[in-house]
Amino acid sequence: MWRSAARRSSLFRRLLSSSSSSYAPPAVYIVNKRGNDILNDPWYNKDTAFPMTERDRLGLRGLLPPRVTCFEEQYERFINSYRTLENNMQGEPDSTRVALAKWKDLNRLHSRNETLYYRVLIDNIEEFAPIVYTPTVGLVCENYSGLFRRSRGMYFTAKDKGEMMSMIYNWPADKVDMIVVTDGSRILGLGDLGVQGVGIPIGKLDLYVAAAGINPQKVLPVILDVGTNNEKLLEDKLYLGLRQPRLEGEEYLAIIDEFMEAVRARWPKAVVQFEDFQMKWAFETLERYRNRFCMFNDDIQGTAGVALAGLLGAVRAQGRPLHDFPNQKIVVVGAGSAGIGVLNKAKKATLKMGITEEGHNQFWVLDKDGLITKAREGLDPAVASFARGSGPNEIPDLHEGASLVEVVKKVKPHVLLGLSGVGGIFNEEVLKAMKESDSPRPAVFAMSNPTTKAECTPDDVFKHVGENAIFASGSPFSNVSLGNGKTGYANQANNMYLFPGIGLGALLSGARNISVGMLEAGAECLASYITDDEIKKGILFPPVSRHITAQVGAAVLRAAIAEDLAEGCDGVGPKELSTMSELETVDYVTQKMWYPVYHPLVSKK
Ligand SMILES: NC(=O)C1=CN([C@@H]2O[C@H](COP(=O)(O)OP(=O)(O)OC[C@H]3O[C@@H](n4cnc5c(N)ncnc54)[C@H](O)[C@@H]3O)[C@@H](O)[C@H]2O)C=CC1
Ligand SMILES: CC(=O)C(=O)O
Ligand SMILES: [Mg+2]
C-alpha cells in the first residue's frame, strides 16, 4: 500500500518536473524582432525593466530612459497612478465616466505590457474583476465602436463565408487553448449589441488568464458578426460591425459551422466557450456541437452550476439537510437560456434525491408574460415540464400569466431567483411579500447583469425582506452594514466561479467533449467549497481565485478521466493523469497555471 503510494507520488513528481508543459514558463523567450518592434509588442515589452545586457542584445539601447527599474517598481508605479486617477475622480457624479476611465487605464496597460497587466489583475482580482468583467464590460460593449483603439481577438463575419478556413491562419499564435465566442445577440442583459459584443469574450478570457492561469498568448476572443437587429447601432455612424440584419436559419448556422470547422482544423484541442448567444441559438448550437467538439455554453451550463450551488447553500443556511432541497419552493423569473439552464439543473438534482419526473413540484416560472402554466398558448417545450397545472397540488387562483407579486404572495417561496434582465423588477412590494416566505432565511438571487439590470439591490433586500435574508447578485455589490456590527452579505452569484475551472479541467484532461458529468463534478466542487460557518453567516460563494479554479478544474479533469473522455495534454496521457490522487490532481492543475514574470529575451538572429 505504502509502496504503491510512494511509487505513484514519485511518478507524479516526475510528471510535474518533466512534462513539456505549455504552462511551465520557459527559461527564455526567443524573439524574432528587435528594437521598437519589441517595445511595441505587449507580450515581450518590459518597458524600463529591460536590463542593459538585453538592451544591447535586442537593439534597445537609447530607446528607453537610462535607469533600469525592477518589476516591483513598475507595479507600484502603475498602482499609484491608478490610485491617483481614483482620487481625482472622487465626487464625480457620473459613475459611467469613472468606470470607463478605470477601464481605459487598465486597457492601456494591457496594450503596452501584458506581463505587468496580468500580474496587476491577478493580485487585485476582486478589485479589478468589476472593471474588466461585469458591470464595466457592459458599458464597454455599449460604447465599443467609440472606444475602439486597438484590435483584440478575431472577427469572423457573414461576408467571410468560404474564407474562414484560411482566415484562421491569420491569427499569430501557433497554439490556442481557449476560445470564447459570441455572436453579440444577447450581451449580458443589454440585448443585441452586434459586433460590439466582442468585449464579452475579451473580459471572460481575462478571467481565464487571471483565475485559471491560461497562458494569454493561447487565448482567442472571437466575435461572429452575422449582422445586428439593433436599429440604433445600424444608424450609428461610428458602428464598426456589418450594417445588415442578422442572418437567420440555415444561413446563420452555416457561418457558425464554418467557424467551428476552421477552429478544429487549426487547433483541434482548443476548448470553445459559447457566450451570450440569444436563447434559440444558445440551445441549438449547444445541441449541435456538444458531442462533436470540446465546447460548452457558459450561460446555460456554467450559470446552472453556480445557481445550484447557491440554491443548495440556501438550504444549508436554514440548518436543513441537503436532501430537503426538493421541499424548497423556488420562484424563477426569466425563462431564457440562463433560467431554463438553472431549472433543468435544479430539477436534475431533485430527481437524484429520489423525486420522480412527475412528482417534482417546487418550481414556479415566470417570463415576460407572467406565470407560465399549462394553459399557456404555444407553450415552449423547453419550459413545459415546469409549467404549473391545475390539479389538487396547485395553489388555487394562481392563473396563467399571474404577476410576480401575486405569485410571491401566494407561493411564499424559499427562494426568489431572477434571470430576467429586468432591472428593479424585485420591487418593494415583491420584496415585502418575500418577508412572508415560508423560509426562516428567505433567499433572493438577483442574477441579471450588469448592475443596472439586477432585479434588486442588497440594501433593498435586507431592508424589506429582513436581516435574515440571503442575497446574491450577478454583478458585484458591497456588503450591507446592518448595525450592531452585523453584516448583510452581498454574494456574487456569477458563472465566473465555474467557467474558468471548466475550461481548465477540459483543457488539461484533453477531453474529447465536455460531458454533463464533468460539469456536475465542477458544480459539486463549488457547492461543497463553502463551510457551514460561512453559510450560516449568509456567505454562499468564495471570492474568485486561482484556488477555487484549481479545485474545480481538478474535479472536471477527474470526471473526464472517469468517463474515458480524456486524451491527455502536453505529453501527459490519460493513464498518467488517472494515477494521480485527488490532491495530486489539484497540485498538478495548479502547477500548470501560467504566471506572469519577465523572462530573458533572446534574439533569433
Ligand atoms: N449571474 C450570472 O452568472 C448570469 C446572469 N445572466 C443574466 O441573466 C439575464 C438573462 O439571460 P438569458 O436567460 O440568456 O436571456 P434571455 O433573453 O434568453 O431570457 C430572458 C427571459 O426573461 C424573461 N423576461 C423578460 N422580461 C420579463 C419580465 N418583466 N418579467 C419576467 N420575465 C421577464 C423573458 O421572457 C425571457 O424568458 C441577463 O441579464 C444575463 O446577464 C446570464 C447568464 C449568467
Ligand atoms: C455572467 C454572464 O455570463 C452573463 O450575464 O451573461
Ligand atoms: Mg454570459
Side-chain angles (χ1 to χ4, degrees):
M1 176 93 169
W2 177 87
R3 269 164 179 271
S4 75
R7 226 186 0 252
R8 216 180 50 208
S9 62
S10 89
L11 168 70
F12 174 65
R13 272 198 303 276
R14 251 194 355 260
L15 278 177
L16 283 187
S17 60
S18 71
S19 78
S20 59
S21 153
S22 58
Y23 292 85
V28 293
Y29 285 157
I30 313 286
V31 277
N32 55 5
K33 22 181 122 176
R34 290 177 63 75
N36 261 335
D37 288 343
I38 292 181
L39 299 182
N40 291 330
D41 184 333
W43 179 249
Y44 295 118
N45 185 23
K46 304 178 187 177
D47 292 317
T48 51
F50 282 103
M52 291 317 281
T53 47
E54 220 163 53
R55 295 182 188 200
D56 281 339
R57 251 195 342 259
L58 302 171
L60 294 170
R61 197 176 261 265
L63 300 183
L64 289 160
R67 188 161 74 82
V68 176
T69 60
C70 64
F71 187 75
E72 287 67 29
E73 193 178 328
Q74 291 183 325
Y75 184 104
E76 205 183 319
R77 186 193 295 254
F78 175 79
I79 294 288
N80 286 346
S81 81
Y82 184 84
R83 296 280 170 248
T84 307
L85 169 85
E86 258 182 341
N87 288 338
N88 291 344
M89 297 207 85
Q90 250 179 21
E92 162 64 52
D94 181 356
S95 59
T96 301
R97 269 197 69 214
V98 180
L100 285 180
K102 290 178 175 179
W103 175 84
K104 282 180 189 167
D105 206 28
L106 280 170
N107 196 46
R108 273 192 298 269
L109 179 60
H110 177 270
S111 299
R112 201 184 76 228
N113 182 334
E114 280 195 41
T115 314
L116 186 55
Y117 171 78
Y118 282 114
R119 181 73 83 79
V120 163
L121 191 58
I122 290 167
D123 288 359
N124 304 280
I125 185 72
E126 273 193 83
E127 180 179 354
F128 290 144
I131 297 168
V132 301
Y133 187 55
T134 185
T136 307
V137 73
L139 267 177
V140 172
C141 290
E142 285 178 304
N143 296 287
Y144 173 81
S145 294
L147 290 170
F148 181 85
R149 297 290 178 275
R150 184 170 167 267
S151 188
R152 226 175 135 178
M154 281 196 87
Y155 301 74
F156 294 88
T157 82
K159 304 264 187 267
D160 295 322
K161 193 156 186 314
E163 300 296 329
M164 294 185 203
M165 209 47 106
S166 56
M167 276 170 75
I168 200 130
Y169 286 90
N170 291 342
W171 187 248
D174 287 339
K175 190 160 185 275
V176 162
D177 286 339
M178 201 59 232
I179 295 172
V180 178
V181 58
T182 185
D183 68 354
S185 56
R186 191 286 277 149
I187 294 299
L188 307 176
L190 302 169
D192 179 353
L193 294 185
V195 80
Q196 306 196 154
V198 69
I200 287 292
I202 291 171
K204 293 265 175 188
L205 283 164
D206 264 357
L207 290 199
Y208 264 110
V209 177
I214 304 287
N215 183 330
Q217 275 219 308
K218 295 176 184 169
V219 304
L220 174 57
V222 173
I223 178 91
L224 300 173
D225 183 356
V226 294
T228 177
N229 296 339
N230 183 328
E231 291 298 331
K232 232 176 112 194
L233 288 181
L234 288 172
E235 284 162 18
D236 181 350
K237 279 202 312 265
L238 290 180
Y239 182 60
L240 291 172
L242 290 189
R243 282 181 203 279
Q244 64 172 60
R246 281 188 174 276
L247 294 185
E248 286 297 337
E250 288 306 316
E251 273 188 314
Y252 172 88
L253 285 171
I255 295 289
I256 320 291
D257 280 351
E258 190 178 329
F259 164 72
M260 290 300 277
E261 289 304 338
V263 167
R264 192 207 299 276
R266 186 161 184 208
W267 303 296
K269 295 307 286 179
V271 179
V272 185
Q273 173 171 325
F274 276 55
E275 192 69 48
D276 289 9
F277 283 69
Q278 60 180 306
M279 178 170 160
K280 62 176 178 183
W281 294 127
F283 281 105
E284 171 105 24
T285 50
L286 180 59
E287 284 319 307
R288 198 172 178 91
Y289 303 125
R290 67 191 305 166
N291 296 321
R292 292 196 286 132
F293 292 89
C294 188
M295 62 79 66
F296 68 106
N297 182 297
D298 183 37
D299 298 294
I300 300 172
Q301 297 172 301
T303 313
V306 169
L308 182 62
L311 293 173
L312 295 175
V315 177
R316 288 167 70 196
Q318 296 166 57
R320 305 194 74 85
L322 284 183
H323 61 73
D324 200 40
F325 178 61
N327 297 321
Q328 301 290 303
K329 293 181 286 184
I330 301 169
V331 170
V332 175
V333 185
S337 49
I340 289 177
V342 170
L343 283 160
N344 284 334
K345 182 104 181 172
K347 181 173 113 184
K348 202 158 177 217
T350 294
L351 301 189
K352 261 189 173 174
M353 292 177 190
I355 307 296
T356 61
E357 176 72 42
E358 299 72 38
H360 79 86
N361 192 32
Q362 69 185 121
F363 307 106
W364 284 259
V365 187
L366 292 91
D367 68 0
K368 62 179 180 4
D369 300 319
L371 181 69
I372 300 177
T373 70
K374 295 199 175 7
R376 169 78 55 108
E377 261 181 51
L379 181 62
D380 182 348
V383 84
S385 81
F386 303 99
R388 303 304 303 194
S390 53
N393 290 336
E394 291 296 336
I395 297 165
D397 304 332
L398 264 187
H399 53 92
E400 163 59 32
S403 72
L404 175 57
V405 71
E406 269 178 283
V407 173
V408 173
K409 277 185 176 160
K410 289 188 176 139
V411 174
K412 300 182 189 305
H414 296 77
V415 182
L416 174 61
L417 187 154
L419 281 162
S420 63
V422 184
I425 194 174
F426 297 171
N427 56 26
E428 188 173 333
E429 197 184 3
V430 171
L431 293 178
K432 282 185 169 158
M434 264 311 275
K435 197 176 171 67
E436 308 307 318
S437 154
D438 280 340
S439 167
R441 301 210 64 182
V444 179
F445 294 169
M447 289 181 69
S448 290
N449 297 313
T451 317
T452 49
K453 304 292 176 186
E455 283 80 3
C456 62
T457 67
D459 294 83
D460 292 340
V461 166
F462 293 111
K463 183 165 161 203
H464 299 306
V465 183
E467 293 187 359
N468 271 350
I470 308 256
F471 174 82
S473 53
S475 296
F477 281 94
S478 301
N479 290 338
V480 177
S481 166
L482 302 174
N484 304 326
K486 285 197 274 178
T487 300
Y489 285 95
N491 294 280
Q492 193 174 357
N494 191 293
N495 48 32
M496 69 180 178
Y497 298 117
L498 276 184
F499 73 76
I502 294 170
L504 182 62
L507 177 73
L508 293 181
S509 62
R512 277 190 293 285
N513 48 56
I514 299 181
S515 67
V516 170
M518 288 163 68
L519 295 162
E520 274 177 5
E524 277 166 23
C525 173
L526 177 65
S528 58
Y529 192 81
I530 290 286
T531 63
D532 283 340
D533 278 351
E534 288 168 314
I535 291 270
K536 270 190 212 132
K537 288 188 200 154
I539 301 173
L540 297 184
F541 297 103
V544 69
S545 67
R546 290 191 161 208
H547 190 258
I548 177 67
T549 305
Q551 307 275 333
V552 170
V556 170
L557 186 158
R558 290 173 68 79
I561 290 169
E563 290 186 34
D564 216 6
L565 288 170
E567 292 179 341
C569 174
D570 289 336
V572 180
K575 212 164 156 205
E576 291 146 300
L577 291 170
S578 68
T579 60
M580 293 179 197
S581 68
E582 257 180 72
L583 225 81
E584 286 169 346
T585 314
V586 175
D587 277 354
Y588 176 73
V589 170
T590 308
Q591 190 93 9
K592 297 289 269 182
M593 290 180 175
W594 176 86
Y595 189 71
V597 286
Y598 287 145
H599 292 283
L601 302 184
V602 176
S603 178
K604 206 172 180 182
K605 317 183 258 178

mmCIF file with all atom_site columns, all heavy atoms in Angstrom, residues 392-406:
data_model
loop_
_atom_site.group_PDB
_atom_site.id
_atom_site.type_symbol
_atom_site.label_atom_id
_atom_site.label_alt_id
_atom_site.label_comp_id
_atom_site.label_asym_id
_atom_site.label_entity_id
_atom_site.label_seq_id
_atom_site.pdbx_PDB_ins_code
_atom_site.Cartn_x
_atom_site.Cartn_y
_atom_site.Cartn_z
_atom_site.occupancy
_atom_site.B_iso_or_equiv
_atom_site.pdbx_formal_charge
_atom_site.auth_seq_id
_atom_site.auth_comp_id
_atom_site.auth_asym_id
_atom_site.auth_atom_id
_atom_site.pdbx_PDB_model_num
ATOM 1   N N   . PRO A 1 392 ? -54.901 19.143 -7.697  1.00 0.00 ? 392 PRO A N   1
ATOM 2   C CA  . PRO A 1 392 ? -55.094 19.386 -6.259  1.00 0.00 ? 392 PRO A CA  1
ATOM 3   C C   . PRO A 1 392 ? -53.834 19.907 -5.564  1.00 0.00 ? 392 PRO A C   1
ATOM 4   O O   . PRO A 1 392 ? -53.921 20.542 -4.518  1.00 0.00 ? 392 PRO A O   1
ATOM 5   C CB  . PRO A 1 392 ? -55.478 18.001 -5.710  1.00 0.00 ? 392 PRO A CB  1
ATOM 6   C CG  . PRO A 1 392 ? -55.084 17.016 -6.781  1.00 0.00 ? 392 PRO A CG  1
ATOM 7   C CD  . PRO A 1 392 ? -55.079 17.735 -8.068  1.00 0.00 ? 392 PRO A CD  1
ATOM 8   N N   . ASN A 1 393 ? -52.653 19.636 -6.169  1.00 0.00 ? 393 ASN A N   1
ATOM 9   C CA  . ASN A 1 393 ? -51.415 20.117 -5.545  1.00 0.00 ? 393 ASN A CA  1
ATOM 10  C C   . ASN A 1 393 ? -51.143 21.587 -5.821  1.00 0.00 ? 393 ASN A C   1
ATOM 11  O O   . ASN A 1 393 ? -50.173 22.145 -5.331  1.00 0.00 ? 393 ASN A O   1
ATOM 12  C CB  . ASN A 1 393 ? -50.205 19.330 -6.084  1.00 0.00 ? 393 ASN A CB  1
ATOM 13  C CG  . ASN A 1 393 ? -50.210 17.921 -5.579  1.00 0.00 ? 393 ASN A CG  1
ATOM 14  O OD1 . ASN A 1 393 ? -50.801 17.654 -4.530  1.00 0.00 ? 393 ASN A OD1 1
ATOM 15  N ND2 . ASN A 1 393 ? -49.588 17.019 -6.316  1.00 0.00 ? 393 ASN A ND2 1
ATOM 16  N N   . GLU A 1 394 ? -51.991 22.182 -6.661  1.00 0.00 ? 394 GLU A N   1
ATOM 17  C CA  . GLU A 1 394 ? -51.720 23.566 -7.054  1.00 0.00 ? 394 GLU A CA  1
ATOM 18  C C   . GLU A 1 394 ? -52.354 24.553 -6.085  1.00 0.00 ? 394 GLU A C   1
ATOM 19  O O   . GLU A 1 394 ? -53.396 24.283 -5.491  1.00 0.00 ? 394 GLU A O   1
ATOM 20  C CB  . GLU A 1 394 ? -52.266 23.821 -8.464  1.00 0.00 ? 394 GLU A CB  1
ATOM 21  C CG  . GLU A 1 394 ? -51.502 23.092 -9.550  1.00 0.00 ? 394 GLU A CG  1
ATOM 22  C CD  . GLU A 1 394 ? -50.050 23.552 -9.687  1.00 0.00 ? 394 GLU A CD  1
ATOM 23  O OE1 . GLU A 1 394 ? -49.724 24.691 -9.295  1.00 0.00 ? 394 GLU A OE1 1
ATOM 24  O OE2 . GLU A 1 394 ? -49.228 22.756 -10.183 1.00 0.00 ? 394 GLU A OE2 1
ATOM 25  N N   . ILE A 1 395 ? -51.699 25.703 -5.972  1.00 0.00 ? 395 ILE A N   1
ATOM 26  C CA  . ILE A 1 395 ? -52.260 26.781 -5.147  1.00 0.00 ? 395 ILE A CA  1
ATOM 27  C C   . ILE A 1 395 ? -53.423 27.385 -5.933  1.00 0.00 ? 395 ILE A C   1
ATOM 28  O O   . ILE A 1 395 ? -53.257 27.732 -7.104  1.00 0.00 ? 395 ILE A O   1
ATOM 29  C CB  . ILE A 1 395 ? -51.180 27.845 -4.880  1.00 0.00 ? 395 ILE A CB  1
ATOM 30  C CG1 . ILE A 1 395 ? -50.044 27.200 -4.073  1.00 0.00 ? 395 ILE A CG1 1
ATOM 31  C CG2 . ILE A 1 395 ? -51.750 29.061 -4.171  1.00 0.00 ? 395 ILE A CG2 1
ATOM 32  C CD1 . ILE A 1 395 ? -48.776 27.987 -4.025  1.00 0.00 ? 395 ILE A CD1 1
ATOM 33  N N   . PRO A 1 396 ? -54.618 27.472 -5.333  1.00 0.00 ? 396 PRO A N   1
ATOM 34  C CA  . PRO A 1 396 ? -55.770 27.998 -6.083  1.00 0.00 ? 396 PRO A CA  1
ATOM 35  C C   . PRO A 1 396 ? -55.518 29.447 -6.514  1.00 0.00 ? 396 PRO A C   1
ATOM 36  O O   . PRO A 1 396 ? -54.735 30.163 -5.898  1.00 0.00 ? 396 PRO A O   1
ATOM 37  C CB  . PRO A 1 396 ? -56.927 27.927 -5.092  1.00 0.00 ? 396 PRO A CB  1
ATOM 38  C CG  . PRO A 1 396 ? -56.414 27.272 -3.861  1.00 0.00 ? 396 PRO A CG  1
ATOM 39  C CD  . PRO A 1 396 ? -54.939 27.134 -3.949  1.00 0.00 ? 396 PRO A CD  1
ATOM 40  N N   . ASP A 1 397 ? -56.165 29.833 -7.565  1.00 0.00 ? 397 ASP A N   1
ATOM 41  C CA  . ASP A 1 397 ? -56.141 31.220 -8.067  1.00 0.00 ? 397 ASP A CA  1
ATOM 42  C C   . ASP A 1 397 ? -54.813 31.641 -8.681  1.00 0.00 ? 397 ASP A C   1
ATOM 43  O O   . ASP A 1 397 ? -54.618 32.814 -8.957  1.00 0.00 ? 397 ASP A O   1
ATOM 44  C CB  . ASP A 1 397 ? -56.493 32.250 -6.965  1.00 0.00 ? 397 ASP A CB  1
ATOM 45  C CG  . ASP A 1 397 ? -57.822 31.956 -6.324  1.00 0.00 ? 397 ASP A CG  1
ATOM 46  O OD1 . ASP A 1 397 ? -58.662 31.366 -7.023  1.00 0.00 ? 397 ASP A OD1 1
ATOM 47  O OD2 . ASP A 1 397 ? -57.991 32.282 -5.136  1.00 0.00 ? 397 ASP A OD2 1
ATOM 48  N N   . LEU A 1 398 ? -53.885 30.717 -8.804  1.00 0.00 ? 398 LEU A N   1
ATOM 49  C CA  . LEU A 1 398 ? -52.651 31.125 -9.490  1.00 0.00 ? 398 LEU A CA  1
ATOM 50  C C   . LEU A 1 398 ? -52.811 30.806 -10.968 1.00 0.00 ? 398 LEU A C   1
ATOM 51  O O   . LEU A 1 398 ? -52.500 29.711 -11.425 1.00 0.00 ? 398 LEU A O   1
ATOM 52  C CB  . LEU A 1 398 ? -51.423 30.434 -8.898  1.00 0.00 ? 398 LEU A CB  1
ATOM 53  C CG  . LEU A 1 398 ? -50.676 31.249 -7.864  1.00 0.00 ? 398 LEU A CG  1
ATOM 54  C CD1 . LEU A 1 398 ? -49.390 30.579 -7.453  1.00 0.00 ? 398 LEU A CD1 1
ATOM 55  C CD2 . LEU A 1 398 ? -50.408 32.680 -8.341  1.00 0.00 ? 398 LEU A CD2 1
ATOM 56  N N   . HIS A 1 399 ? -53.313 31.764 -11.676 1.00 0.00 ? 399 HIS A N   1
ATOM 57  C CA  . HIS A 1 399 ? -53.713 31.544 -13.061 1.00 0.00 ? 399 HIS A CA  1
ATOM 58  C C   . HIS A 1 399 ? -52.554 31.805 -14.025 1.00 0.00 ? 399 HIS A C   1
ATOM 59  O O   . HIS A 1 399 ? -51.544 32.417 -13.648 1.00 0.00 ? 399 HIS A O   1
ATOM 60  C CB  . HIS A 1 399 ? -54.876 32.488 -13.392 1.00 0.00 ? 399 HIS A CB  1
ATOM 61  C CG  . HIS A 1 399 ? -54.537 33.915 -13.056 1.00 0.00 ? 399 HIS A CG  1
ATOM 62  N ND1 . HIS A 1 399 ? -53.987 34.773 -13.953 1.00 0.00 ? 399 HIS A ND1 1
ATOM 63  C CD2 . HIS A 1 399 ? -54.631 34.598 -11.877 1.00 0.00 ? 399 HIS A CD2 1
ATOM 64  C CE1 . HIS A 1 399 ? -53.758 35.944 -13.368 1.00 0.00 ? 399 HIS A CE1 1
ATOM 65  N NE2 . HIS A 1 399 ? -54.145 35.855 -12.106 1.00 0.00 ? 399 HIS A NE2 1
ATOM 66  N N   . GLU A 1 400 ? -52.763 31.368 -15.238 1.00 0.00 ? 400 GLU A N   1
ATOM 67  C CA  . GLU A 1 400 ? -51.820 31.660 -16.312 1.00 0.00 ? 400 GLU A CA  1
ATOM 68  C C   . GLU A 1 400 ? -51.546 33.177 -16.359 1.00 0.00 ? 400 GLU A C   1
ATOM 69  O O   . GLU A 1 400 ? -52.471 33.989 -16.303 1.00 0.00 ? 400 GLU A O   1
ATOM 70  C CB  . GLU A 1 400 ? -52.425 31.176 -17.644 1.00 0.00 ? 400 GLU A CB  1
ATOM 71  C CG  . GLU A 1 400 ? -51.787 31.737 -18.907 1.00 0.00 ? 400 GLU A CG  1
ATOM 72  C CD  . GLU A 1 400 ? -50.303 31.443 -19.050 1.00 0.00 ? 400 GLU A CD  1
ATOM 73  O OE1 . GLU A 1 400 ? -49.856 30.385 -18.594 1.00 0.00 ? 400 GLU A OE1 1
ATOM 74  O OE2 . GLU A 1 400 ? -49.585 32.294 -19.608 1.00 0.00 ? 400 GLU A OE2 1
ATOM 75  N N   . GLY A 1 401 ? -50.262 33.521 -16.409 1.00 0.00 ? 401 GLY A N   1
ATOM 76  C CA  . GLY A 1 401 ? -49.898 34.932 -16.549 1.00 0.00 ? 401 GLY A CA  1
ATOM 77  C C   . GLY A 1 401 ? -49.961 35.715 -15.248 1.00 0.00 ? 401 GLY A C   1
ATOM 78  O O   . GLY A 1 401 ? -49.809 36.945 -15.275 1.00 0.00 ? 401 GLY A O   1
ATOM 79  N N   . ALA A 1 402 ? -50.146 35.022 -14.095 1.00 0.00 ? 402 ALA A N   1
ATOM 80  C CA  . ALA A 1 402 ? -50.211 35.748 -12.819 1.00 0.00 ? 402 ALA A CA  1
ATOM 81  C C   . ALA A 1 402 ? -48.954 36.598 -12.651 1.00 0.00 ? 402 ALA A C   1
ATOM 82  O O   . ALA A 1 402 ? -47.862 36.223 -13.100 1.00 0.00 ? 402 ALA A O   1
ATOM 83  C CB  . ALA A 1 402 ? -50.345 34.761 -11.659 1.00 0.00 ? 402 ALA A CB  1
ATOM 84  N N   . SER A 1 403 ? -49.117 37.731 -11.968 1.00 0.00 ? 403 SER A N   1
ATOM 85  C CA  . SER A 1 403 ? -47.978 38.653 -11.837 1.00 0.00 ? 403 SER A CA  1
ATOM 86  C C   . SER A 1 403 ? -47.003 38.129 -10.787 1.00 0.00 ? 403 SER A C   1
ATOM 87  O O   . SER A 1 403 ? -47.343 37.285 -9.948  1.00 0.00 ? 403 SER A O   1
ATOM 88  C CB  . SER A 1 403 ? -48.483 40.030 -11.429 1.00 0.00 ? 403 SER A CB  1
ATOM 89  O OG  . SER A 1 403 ? -48.896 39.982 -10.076 1.00 0.00 ? 403 SER A OG  1
ATOM 90  N N   . LEU A 1 404 ? -45.815 38.708 -10.814 1.00 0.00 ? 404 LEU A N   1
ATOM 91  C CA  . LEU A 1 404 ? -44.767 38.272 -9.875  1.00 0.00 ? 404 LEU A CA  1
ATOM 92  C C   . LEU A 1 404 ? -45.230 38.454 -8.427  1.00 0.00 ? 404 LEU A C   1
ATOM 93  O O   . LEU A 1 404 ? -45.060 37.547 -7.593  1.00 0.00 ? 404 LEU A O   1
ATOM 94  C CB  . LEU A 1 404 ? -43.489 39.074 -10.158 1.00 0.00 ? 404 LEU A CB  1
ATOM 95  C CG  . LEU A 1 404 ? -42.336 38.843 -9.195  1.00 0.00 ? 404 LEU A CG  1
ATOM 96  C CD1 . LEU A 1 404 ? -41.939 37.371 -9.135  1.00 0.00 ? 404 LEU A CD1 1
ATOM 97  C CD2 . LEU A 1 404 ? -41.126 39.687 -9.594  1.00 0.00 ? 404 LEU A CD2 1
ATOM 98  N N   . VAL A 1 405 ? -45.823 39.596 -8.147  1.00 0.00 ? 405 VAL A N   1
ATOM 99  C CA  . VAL A 1 405 ? -46.190 39.836 -6.752  1.00 0.00 ? 405 VAL A CA  1
ATOM 100 C C   . VAL A 1 405 ? -47.286 38.857 -6.302  1.00 0.00 ? 405 VAL A C   1
ATOM 101 O O   . VAL A 1 405 ? -47.241 38.332 -5.176  1.00 0.00 ? 405 VAL A O   1
ATOM 102 C CB  . VAL A 1 405 ? -46.534 41.336 -6.522  1.00 0.00 ? 405 VAL A CB  1
ATOM 103 C CG1 . VAL A 1 405 ? -47.843 41.731 -7.151  1.00 0.00 ? 405 VAL A CG1 1
ATOM 104 C CG2 . VAL A 1 405 ? -46.514 41.678 -5.066  1.00 0.00 ? 405 VAL A CG2 1
ATOM 105 N N   . GLU A 1 406 ? -48.212 38.553 -7.193  1.00 0.00 ? 406 GLU A N   1
ATOM 106 C CA  . GLU A 1 406 ? -49.250 37.562 -6.855  1.00 0.00 ? 406 GLU A CA  1
ATOM 107 C C   . GLU A 1 406 ? -48.610 36.210 -6.543  1.00 0.00 ? 406 GLU A C   1
ATOM 108 O O   . GLU A 1 406 ? -48.961 35.541 -5.577  1.00 0.00 ? 406 GLU A O   1
ATOM 109 C CB  . GLU A 1 406 ? -50.154 37.339 -8.087  1.00 0.00 ? 406 GLU A CB  1
ATOM 110 C CG  . GLU A 1 406 ? -51.364 38.204 -8.201  1.00 0.00 ? 406 GLU A CG  1
ATOM 111 C CD  . GLU A 1 406 ? -52.107 37.871 -9.498  1.00 0.00 ? 406 GLU A CD  1
ATOM 112 O OE1 . GLU A 1 406 ? -51.634 38.327 -10.566 1.00 0.00 ? 406 GLU A OE1 1
ATOM 113 O OE2 . GLU A 1 406 ? -53.107 37.130 -9.434  1.00 0.00 ? 406 GLU A OE2 1
#
